[in-house]
Amino acid sequence: MTEKKQIQTKEAQEALDSINEMKYAGLKRVLPTPISIWLGAILGILIGTQIALLGAEIRTYNTILIVLIVIMVIAIINKTQSTGVSERILFSKRTIIISLLCIIPLYFLSIISGQYLNNHFEYNWAPVVIGSFFTIGIWSLMIGASRSYNKKLNTSRR
Amino acid sequence: MVNSKFDPIIHAPNRLQICALLAPLDQVEFRVIREELDVSDSVLSKHIKHLEDVGYINQKKSKVNGRSRRWFHLTDKGRSSFELHVEELKRIVSDL
């Protein structure tokens, strides 16, 4: 008798139930906690503030903002590592590198645009609006990721 | 063409649970696997070694706050075998 024949339907169903249970447990662990969502939101606000201030050519608080951004990034990494699981990113390494290479110029472009609009057209509100867009963008990504995990979790529960 | 294959290595309850836990994730720490499976360190190590020997999972070591941690992930071979095994289980269930 082959191994395929030996396995009973009941045993197969139990195995499938066990698989679903473990998949659900794993996904539940990567679900962003309210603390990590808040950390992400604070990071977004800090980056947005930095863009707005640099756009308005106010460099007084730049050092403290950089220190706070680094602290927030370390806090987020520590929080993620403390969960003991890391999410599966379905994008290829190439896509991630290209995305990063696009985000960095976008960051500097935002600052330069703010400075240009402020200096040449005297649009004093421009750096604030650009900074706010950046903050909203980061916040939207956080919420999007959180919703996507919730969706995955609900799918695996069924 | 049948896209399913029963895998006796994966089918052992604890190993099946390890693969199921690793499947939707990138990496999982030893401590988390032990907590989810509710087994001792030695039992878990034995099953992990078995899966590592056949090339289904790999481990990475990292230091967090000065403490060494072991992270595990499914290899492409392991992921493919696990998916084929799940398909086979589904086929068995749906046959009746």
Side-chain angles (χ1 to χ4, degrees), chain A residues 85-126:
Chain A
V85 291
S86 69
E87 66 214 74
R88 192 167 169 229
I89 300 164
L90 295 172
F91 302 114
S92 66
K93 275 184 183 171
R94 197 179 158 190
T95 313
I96 294 166
I97 291 166
I98 292 169
S99 308
L100 284 173
L101 288 175
C102 290
I103 288 169
I104 295 164
L106 189 68
Y107 167 80
F108 289 108
L109 193 70
S110 304
I111 295 168
I112 294 163
S113 307
Q115 287 173 346
Y116 184 80
L117 290 169
N118 192 20
N119 293 336
H120 289 79
F121 301 102
E122 292 187 357
Y123 292 157
N124 298 331
W125 45 264

Side-chain angles (χ1 to χ4, degrees), chain B residues 36-71:
Chain B
E36 291 297 344
L37 266 69
D38 198 19
V39 292
S40 67
D41 283 11
S42 56
V43 169
L44 181 57
S45 296
K46 194 183 83 184
H47 288 296
I48 279 174
K49 184 160 186 330
H50 206 129
L51 289 168
E52 271 185 317
D53 288 345
V54 289
Y56 286 177
I57 65 170
N58 265 344
Q59 68 167 295
K60 278 184 195 168
K61 285 180 182 173
S62 73
K63 277 201 170 183
V64 180
N65 297 328
R67 297 183 72 178
S68 180
R69 291 184 181 186
R70 285 195 292 161
W71 295 77

Side-chain angles (χ1 to χ4, degrees), chain A residues 3-4 7-9 11-16 18-27 29-30 78 80-89 152, chain B residues 4-6 8 11 16-17 20-21 23-29 31-32 35-37 64-65 69 71 79 82 86 88-93 96:
Chain A
E3 275 164 323
K4 277 187 187 178
I7 186 170
Q8 300 294 312
T9 310
E11 192 189 338
Q13 186 57 58
E14 279 171 4
L16 284 171
S18 166
I19 288 167
N20 286 336
E21 202 179 298
M22 290 312 282
K23 277 186 175 176
Y24 178 74
L27 286 170
R29 284 195 181 247
V30 280
N78 269 337
T80 311
Q81 283 192 333
S82 69
T83 59
V85 291
S86 69
E87 66 214 74
R88 192 167 169 229
I89 300 164
K152 266 190 203 172
Chain B
S4 62
K5 185 175 171 262
F6 184 84
H11 194 67
L16 186 74
Q17 286 182 314
L21 182 65
L25 303 169
D26 182 34
Q27 294 187 100
V28 182
E29 206 192 319
R31 164 185 64 90
V32 173
E35 280 171 17
E36 291 297 344
L37 266 69
V64 180
N65 297 328
R69 291 184 181 186
W71 295 77
R79 191 171 295 282
F82 175 68
V86 172
E88 178 62 11
L89 291 175
K90 283 180 184 168
R91 193 194 61 74
I92 293 165
V93 171
L96 276 182

